[in-house]
Amino acid sequence: MSVRLHQRLQTTGYDLGIFEQAVRSYAHLHLPVSELKGPGFPLMGDHFSPVLAALAPFYRLWPSPLTLLIAQAALFAIAVVPLARWAERALGRTAAVVVAAGYGASWGIAQAVGFDFHEVCFAVPLLAFSLAALGGGRLGAAVAWALPLLLVKEDFGLTVAVIGGLVAWKGAWRLGLITAAAGLLGTVLEVLVIIPAFSLAGSYAYWDKLPSAGSDSGLVHLLYQGTVGMITPDVKVMTLLALLAPTAFLALRSPLILVALPTLAWRFFSDNPQYWGTGFHYSAVLMPIVFAAFIDALTRWPTTQVRHTLTVSGVVTAFMFFQAPLYQLVQPATWRNDPRVATTHSILDKIPSGATVAATNHLAPQLTDRADVTVFGFPDSRPNPEYIVADTAIWDWPFATATDEVKQLNDTLGHGYRTIAHRDGIVLLRRT
């Protein structure tokens, strides 16, 4: 599905292009830099995700955004294995099939696949293997699978800390406490030391996503977000319902569900509405957690009720499949290319490899494998690129309207650029 999205020009510079530029940097033995976020922008000063370097050898063999998309699909798929094997050992083949289908077709995974590439794809199998080991009593293995989460993104140290707490609760208190301390220390170091050391601003850039307590009204808002605001507005409750419904809400009966709390807490505590709903990639890491909790709860559920619960889970999974992006796979339009796709590629082919290019957001990832690409219209983009390419037929970020995009193109024509191609709304300018 993600390959088809890219082939149909439905991926974006923000975020696929950014991550490709990061992996491209690693593949050439440099620290990750993304021109899409600004000239020479150091990504280690944005998020701490050195795990992306694992894709560098594959990218050297096949320098394409499809390398990232296929790797992401594979990582999501691998997570099926520990969950299904645990379910089969504990509950039998039917349970394994229901769990595998439930996780594999889950809306959180589908939404992530439907929106570019993100580093969290590495966290998904790590969590699946860790929680399957934890549920099976293999506490050392659970810790071994959890600790690499510290290399995926800075907030996962909190998730590691919760896993450490569960390991301690299961009896390995020394191992559990060391793991919890490592997780907390990892997040603190990454957020307060490592990221600011690389950041152009010298600080962590995402504090502004959290409520501020800088005044009396700010303190009230902070308290509200930490209490009532964790379940309001209604979109947060709907996200929780969508998360638990595929398990017939049985996941709530397992302590493993606690592993989801750090991710849910920072999302719901934030002032950013994009974090609250079921869109984008934010819920992908919750899917292995909720299905691991489901398996764990089923092992303690009365045998006579297990089959009924599995039936409910299967029905909910089937229903939600038609609400998530994977449903596009059975739609004929997914397998047809709009004629504009060929036109777009014929115009993009006029841009030589190695050129500096400002491209609109949906065109950027078509070029990041062979050019130095920035986002056209983004204030922090590198000025005066050799080429500018834009799709004027659609609205694209960062413009407020398609009309604004056309206006800026026209303004650019009067400042050292000329049109060398213009078909089906795709405009290519070259600096004179």
Side-chain angles (χ1 to χ4, degrees):
M1 176 182 163
S2 40
V3 168
R4 285 300 297 152
L5 288 171
H6 185 69
Q7 291 172 339
R8 296 166 63 207
L9 309 180
Q10 293 183 11
T11 51
T12 63
Y14 273 66
D15 292 322
L16 176 59
I18 290 172
F19 284 107
E20 186 183 0
Q21 289 179 334
V23 174
R24 188 181 181 191
S25 297
Y26 280 125
H28 290 88
L29 304 181
H30 304 305
L31 288 175
V33 171
S34 176
E35 288 284 308
L36 284 162
K37 291 184 74 72
F41 187 93
L43 286 173
M44 291 286 277
D46 190 48
H47 288 300
F48 186 74
S49 303
V51 71
L52 291 169
L55 296 180
F58 303 100
Y59 191 83
R60 283 301 294 264
L61 292 172
W62 188 24
S64 166
L66 297 181
T67 300
L68 278 67
L69 296 175
I70 293 171
Q72 175 174 258
L75 288 164
F76 286 153
I78 287 169
V80 172
V81 176
L83 295 173
R85 291 183 65 184
W86 177 22
E88 184 172 23
R89 285 195 305 268
L91 300 159
R93 179 60 60 88
T94 300
V97 171
V98 171
V99 167
Y103 159 78
S106 61
W107 59 267
I109 297 299
Q111 293 288 1
V113 168
F115 180 52
D116 291 5
F117 170 94
H118 300 87
E119 74 281 269
V120 297
C121 63
F122 285 94
V124 172
L126 290 173
L127 283 166
F129 278 103
S130 178
L131 296 181
L134 186 58
R138 295 176 290 117
L139 304 185
V143 170
W145 283 109
L147 287 175
L149 289 167
L150 292 169
L151 303 178
V152 177
K153 201 173 180 182
E154 60 274 8
D155 61 288
F156 283 119
L158 304 179
T159 302
V160 172
V162 175
I163 292 174
L166 291 173
V167 168
W169 176 72
K170 282 182 172 284
W173 63 270
R174 187 185 299 248
L175 177 63
L177 292 179
I178 291 173
T179 303
L184 293 174
L185 182 61
T187 286
V188 169
L189 287 175
E190 290 168 13
V191 170
L192 299 183
V193 179
I194 299 175
I195 293 176
F198 286 96
S199 171
L200 297 176
S203 61
Y204 185 57
Y206 294 90
W207 292 123
D208 62 352
K209 304 298 183 184
L210 300 176
S212 173
S215 63
D216 290 343
S217 60
L219 181 59
V220 170
H221 180 59
L222 190 68
L223 292 173
Y224 175 84
Q225 281 295 97
T227 53
V228 177
M230 297 299 282
I231 56 172
T232 57
D234 292 347
V235 64
K236 297 178 182 178
V237 175
M238 296 304 296
T239 296
L240 291 175
L241 292 175
L243 181 66
L244 296 168
T247 73
F249 296 90
L250 197 63
L252 289 171
R253 297 179 65 90
S254 168
L256 297 184
I257 198 66
L258 296 174
V259 180
L261 289 183
T263 297
L264 289 171
W266 72 255
R267 286 175 58 187
F268 289 178
F269 188 63
S270 172
D271 276 338
N272 187 348
Q274 288 190 328
Y275 295 158
W276 303 341
T278 57
F280 305 109
H281 59 287
Y282 300 116
S283 296
V285 298
L286 299 177
M287 298 298 114
I289 299 171
V290 77
F291 279 96
F294 183 41
I295 299 167
D296 185 51
L298 282 172
T299 61
R300 295 190 292 274
W301 201 234
T303 304
T304 55
Q305 297 185 37
V306 168
R307 184 174 295 275
H308 298 299
T309 305
L310 291 173
T311 300
V312 172
S313 176
V315 169
V316 172
T317 294
F319 173 77
M320 296 186 77
F321 174 83
F322 293 99
Q323 316 301 316
L326 287 178
Y327 179 51
Q328 295 178 37
L329 288 172
V330 297
Q331 295 176 319
T334 301
W335 306 101
R336 294 194 298 263
N337 278 345
D338 188 290
R340 294 183 75 247
V341 171
T343 299
T344 300
H345 282 293
S346 69
I347 292 176
L348 295 179
D349 288 343
K350 297 179 183 295
I351 301 172
S353 296
T356 56
V357 186
T360 47
N361 195 31
H362 279 79
L363 297 181
Q366 307 295 325
L367 293 163
T368 43
D369 61 340
R370 62 182 184 86
D372 294 327
V373 185
T374 57
V375 177
F376 177 60
F378 185 50
D380 293 334
S381 289
R382 186 180 294 277
N384 303 317
E386 296 171 85
Y387 293 86
I388 295 173
V389 61
D391 185 348
T392 62
I394 63 171
W395 169 84
D396 217 343
W397 180 87
F399 297 99
T401 66
T403 303
D404 291 340
E405 179 182 324
V406 173
K407 182 178 184 301
Q408 184 156 337
L409 272 176
N410 291 334
D411 291 343
T412 303
L413 281 170
H415 293 83
Y417 286 85
R418 64 183 178 88
T419 303
I420 61 173
H422 187 181
R423 294 199 307 274
D424 291 347
I426 308 298
V427 181
L428 177 62
L429 310 181
R430 182 176 180 176
R431 194 176 65 210
T432 56

Short mmCIF file of all heavy atoms in Angstrom, two decimals, residues 135-163:
data_model
loop_
_atom_site.label_atom_id
_atom_site.label_comp_id
_atom_site.label_asym_id
_atom_site.label_seq_id
_atom_site.Cartn_x
_atom_site.Cartn_y
_atom_site.Cartn_z
N GLY A 135 5.28 -11.46 29.04
CA GLY A 135 4.10 -12.27 29.33
C GLY A 135 4.42 -13.73 29.52
O GLY A 135 3.75 -14.45 30.27
N GLY A 136 5.51 -14.20 28.87
CA GLY A 136 5.91 -15.60 29.00
C GLY A 136 6.87 -15.85 30.14
O GLY A 136 7.37 -16.98 30.28
N GLY A 137 7.16 -14.82 30.94
CA GLY A 137 8.03 -15.00 32.09
C GLY A 137 9.52 -14.95 31.78
O GLY A 137 10.35 -15.21 32.65
N ARG A 138 9.89 -14.61 30.56
CA ARG A 138 11.31 -14.51 30.18
C ARG A 138 11.75 -13.05 30.40
O ARG A 138 11.84 -12.26 29.47
CB ARG A 138 11.50 -14.96 28.74
CG ARG A 138 11.18 -16.44 28.54
CD ARG A 138 11.28 -16.87 27.08
NE ARG A 138 10.19 -16.31 26.28
CZ ARG A 138 10.35 -15.49 25.27
NH1 ARG A 138 11.58 -15.07 24.95
NH2 ARG A 138 9.32 -15.04 24.60
N LEU A 139 12.04 -12.72 31.65
CA LEU A 139 12.22 -11.33 32.04
C LEU A 139 13.51 -10.73 31.48
O LEU A 139 13.54 -9.55 31.09
CB LEU A 139 12.20 -11.21 33.56
CG LEU A 139 10.94 -11.80 34.23
CD1 LEU A 139 10.96 -11.52 35.73
CD2 LEU A 139 9.68 -11.22 33.61
N GLY A 140 14.58 -11.51 31.42
CA GLY A 140 15.82 -11.00 30.84
C GLY A 140 15.64 -10.66 29.37
O GLY A 140 16.13 -9.63 28.90
N ALA A 141 14.93 -11.53 28.64
CA ALA A 141 14.68 -11.26 27.23
C ALA A 141 13.80 -10.03 27.05
O ALA A 141 13.98 -9.24 26.12
CB ALA A 141 14.02 -12.48 26.57
N ALA A 142 12.83 -9.86 27.96
CA ALA A 142 11.96 -8.69 27.88
C ALA A 142 12.76 -7.40 28.00
O ALA A 142 12.53 -6.43 27.25
CB ALA A 142 10.90 -8.75 28.98
N VAL A 143 13.72 -7.38 28.89
CA VAL A 143 14.57 -6.20 29.07
C VAL A 143 15.48 -6.01 27.85
O VAL A 143 15.66 -4.89 27.36
CB VAL A 143 15.41 -6.33 30.35
CG1 VAL A 143 16.48 -5.24 30.41
CG2 VAL A 143 14.50 -6.26 31.57
N ALA A 144 16.04 -7.11 27.35
CA ALA A 144 16.96 -7.03 26.20
C ALA A 144 16.26 -6.45 24.97
O ALA A 144 16.86 -5.67 24.21
CB ALA A 144 17.54 -8.40 25.88
N TRP A 145 15.00 -6.81 24.77
CA TRP A 145 14.25 -6.27 23.64
C TRP A 145 13.80 -4.82 23.90
O TRP A 145 13.62 -4.04 22.96
CB TRP A 145 13.02 -7.13 23.35
CG TRP A 145 13.31 -8.41 22.64
CD1 TRP A 145 13.25 -9.67 23.15
CD2 TRP A 145 13.70 -8.55 21.28
NE1 TRP A 145 13.59 -10.59 22.20
CE2 TRP A 145 13.87 -9.94 21.03
CE3 TRP A 145 13.93 -7.67 20.23
CZ2 TRP A 145 14.24 -10.46 19.79
CZ3 TRP A 145 14.31 -8.16 19.00
CH2 TRP A 145 14.46 -9.54 18.78
N ALA A 146 13.62 -4.45 25.16
CA ALA A 146 13.12 -3.11 25.48
C ALA A 146 14.18 -2.03 25.41
O ALA A 146 13.92 -0.91 24.96
CB ALA A 146 12.47 -3.11 26.87
N LEU A 147 15.40 -2.34 25.84
CA LEU A 147 16.43 -1.31 25.93
C LEU A 147 16.75 -0.61 24.60
O LEU A 147 17.01 0.60 24.59
CB LEU A 147 17.71 -1.89 26.55
CG LEU A 147 17.62 -2.18 28.05
CD1 LEU A 147 18.89 -2.86 28.53
CD2 LEU A 147 17.37 -0.90 28.85
N PRO A 148 16.74 -1.32 23.45
CA PRO A 148 17.00 -0.60 22.18
C PRO A 148 15.97 0.48 21.85
O PRO A 148 16.21 1.30 20.97
CB PRO A 148 16.98 -1.72 21.14
CG PRO A 148 17.33 -2.96 21.89
CD PRO A 148 16.71 -2.77 23.24
N LEU A 149 14.84 0.48 22.56
CA LEU A 149 13.86 1.55 22.35
C LEU A 149 14.46 2.93 22.61
O LEU A 149 13.99 3.94 22.08
CB LEU A 149 12.63 1.34 23.25
CG LEU A 149 11.71 0.18 22.89
CD1 LEU A 149 10.73 -0.10 24.03
CD2 LEU A 149 10.93 0.47 21.60
N LEU A 150 15.50 2.97 23.45
CA LEU A 150 16.16 4.24 23.75
C LEU A 150 16.81 4.85 22.52
O LEU A 150 17.09 6.05 22.49
CB LEU A 150 17.22 4.03 24.84
CG LEU A 150 16.69 3.67 26.23
CD1 LEU A 150 17.83 3.24 27.14
CD2 LEU A 150 15.95 4.86 26.84
N LEU A 151 17.05 4.03 21.49
CA LEU A 151 17.67 4.52 20.26
C LEU A 151 16.64 4.91 19.20
O LEU A 151 17.01 5.36 18.12
CB LEU A 151 18.60 3.45 19.68
CG LEU A 151 19.71 2.94 20.60
CD1 LEU A 151 20.51 1.85 19.91
CD2 LEU A 151 20.62 4.08 21.03
N VAL A 152 15.35 4.69 19.49
CA VAL A 152 14.30 4.95 18.51
C VAL A 152 13.81 6.40 18.58
O VAL A 152 13.71 7.09 17.58
CB VAL A 152 13.13 3.97 18.68
CG1 VAL A 152 12.01 4.28 17.70
CG2 VAL A 152 13.61 2.53 18.50
N LYS A 153 13.51 6.85 19.80
CA LYS A 153 13.04 8.22 19.98
C LYS A 153 13.11 8.54 21.46
O LYS A 153 12.98 7.65 22.31
CB LYS A 153 11.61 8.38 19.44
CG LYS A 153 11.22 9.81 19.11
CD LYS A 153 9.85 9.84 18.45
CE LYS A 153 9.44 11.26 18.11
NZ LYS A 153 8.08 11.31 17.52
N GLU A 154 13.25 9.83 21.78
CA GLU A 154 13.56 10.21 23.14
C GLU A 154 12.47 9.88 24.16
O GLU A 154 12.76 9.64 25.32
CB GLU A 154 13.88 11.71 23.21
CG GLU A 154 12.77 12.65 22.77
CD GLU A 154 12.76 12.90 21.27
OE1 GLU A 154 13.51 12.24 20.53
OE2 GLU A 154 11.98 13.77 20.83
N ASP A 155 11.21 9.82 23.76
CA ASP A 155 10.14 9.55 24.72
C ASP A 155 10.05 8.08 25.11
O ASP A 155 9.40 7.74 26.11
CB ASP A 155 8.79 10.03 24.19
CG ASP A 155 8.39 9.33 22.91
OD1 ASP A 155 9.01 9.62 21.87
OD2 ASP A 155 7.47 8.49 22.93
N PHE A 156 10.68 7.18 24.35
CA PHE A 156 10.54 5.76 24.65
C PHE A 156 11.28 5.33 25.91
O PHE A 156 11.08 4.22 26.39
CB PHE A 156 10.98 4.92 23.45
CG PHE A 156 9.97 4.88 22.35
CD1 PHE A 156 10.27 5.36 21.09
CD2 PHE A 156 8.70 4.38 22.58
CE1 PHE A 156 9.33 5.33 20.07
CE2 PHE A 156 7.75 4.36 21.57
CZ PHE A 156 8.06 4.84 20.32
N GLY A 157 12.14 6.18 26.45
CA GLY A 157 12.74 5.87 27.73
C GLY A 157 11.68 5.70 28.81
O GLY A 157 11.84 4.87 29.73
N LEU A 158 10.59 6.46 28.72
CA LEU A 158 9.50 6.33 29.68
C LEU A 158 8.80 4.98 29.53
O LEU A 158 8.39 4.36 30.51
CB LEU A 158 8.50 7.47 29.50
CG LEU A 158 9.09 8.89 29.60
CD1 LEU A 158 8.00 9.93 29.37
CD2 LEU A 158 9.73 9.09 30.96
N THR A 159 8.68 4.52 28.29
CA THR A 159 8.10 3.20 28.04
C THR A 159 8.99 2.11 28.60
O THR A 159 8.51 1.15 29.22
CB THR A 159 7.90 3.00 26.52
OG1 THR A 159 7.05 4.05 26.01
CG2 THR A 159 7.26 1.65 26.23
N VAL A 160 10.31 2.26 28.41
CA VAL A 160 11.26 1.31 28.98
C VAL A 160 11.13 1.29 30.50
O VAL A 160 11.19 0.21 31.13
CB VAL A 160 12.70 1.67 28.56
CG1 VAL A 160 13.72 0.81 29.31
CG2 VAL A 160 12.88 1.51 27.06
N ALA A 161 10.93 2.45 31.10
CA ALA A 161 10.79 2.53 32.56
C ALA A 161 9.58 1.74 33.04
O ALA A 161 9.64 1.04 34.07
CB ALA A 161 10.69 3.98 33.00
N VAL A 162 8.47 1.82 32.33
CA VAL A 162 7.28 1.07 32.72
C VAL A 162 7.53 -0.43 32.57
O VAL A 162 7.14 -1.23 33.44
CB VAL A 162 6.06 1.50 31.88
CG1 VAL A 162 4.85 0.61 32.21
CG2 VAL A 162 5.73 2.96 32.14
N ILE A 163 8.20 -0.84 31.49
CA ILE A 163 8.52 -2.26 31.32
C ILE A 163 9.42 -2.72 32.47
O ILE A 163 9.24 -3.82 33.02
CB ILE A 163 9.20 -2.50 29.96
CG1 ILE A 163 8.18 -2.26 28.84
CG2 ILE A 163 9.79 -3.91 29.87
CD1 ILE A 163 8.78 -2.32 27.43
#
